[in-house]
Amino acid sequence: MSYRAPVKDMLFDMQHLAGLQTLTEQIPAFADYGIDTAQAVLEECAKLNQDVVAPTNVEGDKNPSYWKDGQVFTSKGFKEAFRQFAEGGWQGLQHPAEYGGQALPKTIGAACGEMVNSANLSFALCPLLTDGAIEALLTAGSDEQKSTYLPHLIDGSWTGTMNLTEPQAGSDLAAVRTRAEPQADGTYKIFGTKIFITYGEHDMAENIVHLVLARVVGAPEGVKGISLFIVPKFMVNADGSLGARNDAHCVSIEHKMGIKASPTAVLQFGDHGGAVGHLIGQENRGLEYMFVMMNAARFGVGVQGIAVAERSYQHAVAYARDRVQSRPVDGSKPGAATIIHHPDVRRMLMTMRSLTEGSRAMSIVAAAAYDAAHHHEDAETRKQNQAFYEFMVPLVKGYSTEMSLEVTDLGVQVHGGMGFIEETGAAQYYRDAKILTIYEGTTAIQANDLVGRKTTRDGGTLAKAVAGQIESTEAELATRESAAAKSVAKRLKAAREAYLEVVEFIAGQGKGNPNAAYAGSVPYLMLAGNLVAGWQLARSLIVAEDRLADDADFMAAKIATARFYAEHILPRCAALRDAIVEGADSVTAMSLEAF
């Protein structure tokens, strides 16, 4: 089934929710990147992903990348698609012009990221990891490292990876054993094994730049003794040309449930004398630097969830418009009708649509906060936006990826028995979506971050400030006479009040009774994500009612979507509140032996 990028919805979010015009007026670097430029960029991005990348999706799932004699060969069409992706400048879209990038706002970049992930999630993982490597080098790399690696990463001739996980060290990075031995010339010899390395080996680029966490010999135990190193697949000569092969080799790739075309490598460093590594920044600060890369990747993974949900929704709608089954219950058709006439199919499609649109709006608003945090001239504005963005990252990552599982599950359900048959394509989205709640930090890790760093640390001040902004939207809704606005206002208020009770509970229990706070961490994340996505849809309803004459069909659909979300998704917040505040004890009540 073909993919059509939701350009109009993305532009609506940028213009009316994220305030792209304000960004261009307040940030000189973005002066040329208003809504007209955004539209031109998105339309061009849509062409590439619809016509070039999307056709590789099914082929990659059926005939995945494979490993042979230490080399990985990607699925048919991937090399050609990646070449066009790189030549079009898409890898450098958000990165600095001084290294060959286009320096566009993340507000625009997030939408382009959604498109490539909708087109082919497996394909898009390569540029996603390269983006993270670029961010880490921009943050902590030396001038020489930046000039050596960034232009090639940004133009797509080289790609990047992040190497954290080891067989004995999953999310617990304190257990990392890969070692780094200092050499007389200032380099290090790297020895160890890394697993689950996305695009750790492939045939789409001239070189692969591995960013590797390792422990320098004699460093302190735990996370304080971890450093970050550049370990290129091919050494880079003084003149910038590629030299000898480094002692970093792929010994196998994983056979996975989904994202099958993305090679997930086991990398062995140092089996033949030691891989040459170059220290990034200072020794023992590696985890700090890697978190820059991880935060970029976490936001990107949240966008992946939105992307696969959008693709699943489009697939389900197309099937529902075609599939004839049963007479409508209201008798509106004399015989069997297409299933989109049936109320429960409509309910499923509306659930898919509203969850996806709410999460998209949340991600684009978060991206705008990132842009203001990094580029606004006023220090206080930067500080406020940075705090808001950091609060949003676990919601974008955690809620949007869990949302994608619900949406892709419904996508299979809309197809009925045919959804369980691989040939229809609905199952691939479901399989692909599952990894999103796991990699770059599981949902529980995102939730622990929301509880620990974003709520208990400041006593819930920031979380309550977000609720204050939502209350302002409720006040706007209260001035309106439409049934839709009144309904959304009522449900948004109830959800916000449930959220505030949870914030008080989490903040109050975090230090004195941490088991109680963390027992409800994932439900808290889901409540917060649900609320913030619903808040953005409530804002979209206000805009749509005011602009109904501009584009009646589109704006009416925005109103209907916002109302559906308020009446069918926001009420979940009350149940989550009850589970968190009143159900903490039952989580740990049973003895370990009884399991």
Side-chain angles (χ1 to χ4, degrees):
M1 181 236 152
S2 60
Y3 163 66
R4 307 310 299 174
V7 172
K8 184 180 283 190
D9 195 61
M10 293 169 170
L11 290 170
F12 177 94
D13 290 346
M14 286 181 202
Q15 184 172 7
H16 301 297
L17 305 183
L20 181 61
Q21 188 61 38
T22 302
L23 286 176
T24 65
E25 291 169 358
Q26 296 182 350
I27 300 173
F30 295 155
D32 296 329
Y33 300 136
I35 199 67
D36 291 340
T37 300
Q39 182 171 348
V41 171
L42 263 60
E43 288 175 350
E44 199 61 33
C45 188
K47 290 178 187 176
L48 174 74
N49 287 295
Q50 290 166 177
D51 300 340
V52 177
V53 180
T56 67
N57 190 48
V58 173
E59 172 64 25
D61 189 57
K62 290 180 177 177
N63 297 294
S65 303
Y66 66 94
W67 177 91
K68 183 179 180 181
D69 299 329
Q71 297 184 67
V72 171
F73 301 89
T74 51
S75 302
K76 182 180 178 181
F78 273 45
K79 278 196 291 187
E80 294 77 11
F82 188 77
R83 185 183 69 251
Q84 291 189 55
F85 177 87
E87 288 175 352
W90 298 105
Q91 185 70 71
L93 196 69
Q94 301 171 62
H95 300 304
E98 64 181 298
Y99 298 110
Q102 298 180 54
L104 265 68
K106 189 181 184 77
T107 309
I108 298 174
C112 292
E114 182 190 324
M115 287 187 210
V116 68
N117 280 286
S118 278
N120 187 333
L121 193 61
S122 289
F123 174 90
L125 278 162
C126 187
L128 172 69
L129 270 296
T130 301
D131 278 337
I134 291 167
E135 291 288 346
L137 288 171
L138 285 169
T139 299
S142 67
D143 289 342
E144 182 182 358
Q145 289 170 344
K146 290 176 184 177
S147 63
T148 298
Y149 294 100
L150 287 178
H152 294 287
L153 290 169
I154 285 171
D155 71 17
S157 56
W158 300 356
T159 63
T161 71
M162 54 194 295
N163 291 244
L164 292 78
T165 308
E166 299 179 5
Q168 81 295 335
S171 300
D172 182 11
L173 296 177
V176 164
R177 293 178 188 163
T178 296
R179 74 181 191 277
E181 298 179 358
Q183 305 297 300
D185 63 357
T187 65
Y188 293 73
K189 288 291 183 71
I190 309 296
F191 302 87
T193 304
K194 295 290 185 179
I195 63 172
F196 301 156
I197 309 306
T198 300
Y199 278 90
E201 174 64 25
H202 62 85
D203 59 0
M204 301 195 308
E206 298 168 359
N207 201 8
I208 303 173
V209 181
H210 303 297
L211 298 195
V212 183
L213 285 182
R215 197 179 300 279
V216 177
V217 174
E221 291 297 316
V223 295
K224 293 182 178 179
I226 296 174
S227 301
L228 183 63
F229 299 88
I230 300 170
V231 184
K233 175 182 176 179
F234 289 100
M235 303 300 296
V236 183
N237 297 322
D239 64 359
S241 63
L242 296 182
R245 176 69 188 263
N246 206 350
D247 189 8
H249 298 277
C250 175
V251 296
S252 67
I253 61 174
E254 306 294 350
H255 302 282
K256 306 187 296 292
M257 171 183 172
I259 55 166
K260 292 182 178 182
S262 167
T264 303
V266 177
L267 294 183
Q268 193 67 33
F269 297 93
D271 273 5
H272 306 284
V276 177
H278 304 274
L279 180 69
I280 297 176
Q282 301 174 15
E283 286 187 5
N284 304 326
R285 294 183 65 185
L287 204 58
E288 173 189 339
Y289 305 144
M290 185 62 87
F291 263 111
V292 173
M293 192 174 186
M294 288 175 68
N295 265 338
R298 283 175 174 178
F299 180 89
V301 172
V303 171
Q304 287 185 315
I306 299 160
V308 73
E310 174 65 33
R311 190 76 187 270
S312 178
Y313 168 70
Q314 290 189 21
H315 205 118
V317 169
Y319 183 80
R321 290 189 187 282
D322 263 355
R323 173 64 166 158
V324 175
Q325 180 78 35
S326 303
R327 292 178 61 188
V329 293
D330 64 356
S332 57
K333 296 276 186 180
T338 52
I339 63 173
I340 200 166
H341 287 85
H342 303 319
D344 190 60
V345 173
R346 297 275 287 274
R347 178 193 61 81
M348 289 190 285
L349 293 176
M350 285 300 297
T351 301
M352 297 172 77
R353 181 190 182 105
S354 66
L355 285 168
T356 303
E357 289 194 10
S359 295
R360 175 182 298 122
M362 179 167 66
S363 73
I364 291 178
V365 167
Y370 175 96
D371 286 330
H374 286 75
H375 300 286
H376 204 282
E377 293 183 330
D378 179 65
E380 183 59 28
T381 300
R382 291 198 304 272
K383 180 181 177 181
Q384 291 175 1
N385 278 278
Q386 183 64 28
F388 180 73
Y389 176 75
E390 289 181 358
F391 184 82
M392 293 288 276
V393 167
L395 306 190
V396 171
K397 200 289 185 183
Y399 182 74
S400 298
T401 58
E402 291 287 349
M403 174 279 296
S404 74
L405 278 179
E406 179 176 356
V407 169
T408 55
D409 174 41
L410 287 171
V412 173
Q413 190 72 17
V414 168
H415 284 73
M418 294 305 294
F420 204 67
I421 307 300
E422 287 288 353
E423 283 76 9
T424 62
Q428 183 189 347
Y429 309 127
Y430 188 35
R431 289 187 285 101
D432 284 354
K434 181 58 237 179
I435 189 58
L436 305 179
T437 64
I438 299 171
Y439 61 26
E440 304 310 332
T442 64
T443 306
I445 288 173
Q446 310 306 316
N448 288 352
D449 176 48
L450 182 65
V451 169
R453 293 187 179 92
K454 313 292 168 59
T455 303
T456 59
R457 181 175 288 181
D458 69 354
T461 300
L462 178 58
K464 292 174 186 176
V466 173
Q469 294 182 61
I470 296 170
E471 192 170 10
S472 297
T473 300
E474 292 168 34
E476 285 188 69
L477 289 166
T479 65
R480 296 176 173 266
E481 296 300 321
S482 71
K486 290 182 181 300
S487 179
V488 172
K490 175 183 176 182
R491 270 78 181 190
L492 188 62
K493 180 176 186 289
R496 175 183 55 81
E497 290 174 345
Y499 164 82
L500 282 172
E501 288 188 57
V502 169
V503 170
E504 289 286 359
F505 177 82
I506 294 288
Q509 299 290 326
K511 294 180 180 178
N513 188 8
N515 278 347
Y518 285 91
S521 62
V522 169
Y524 171 39
L525 183 150
M526 295 303 292
L527 192 164
N530 184 332
L531 174 64
V532 173
W535 169 36
Q536 299 311 317
L537 289 182
R539 294 178 65 211
S540 76
L541 178 143
I542 293 169
V543 173
E545 286 193 341
D546 289 345
R547 294 175 176 269
L548 197 56
D550 296 348
D551 188 343
D553 290 344
F554 177 80
M555 296 302 175
K558 295 300 291 184
I559 294 167
T561 301
R563 182 172 183 174
F564 178 92
Y565 191 101
E567 294 177 354
H568 292 264
I569 310 299
L570 278 177
R572 299 176 184 180
C573 292
L576 289 167
R577 175 264 168 216
D578 292 349
I580 298 164
V581 176
E582 299 172 15
D585 290 345
S586 62
V587 173
T588 55
M590 195 161 76
S591 70
L592 297 179
E593 293 74 21
F595 283 97

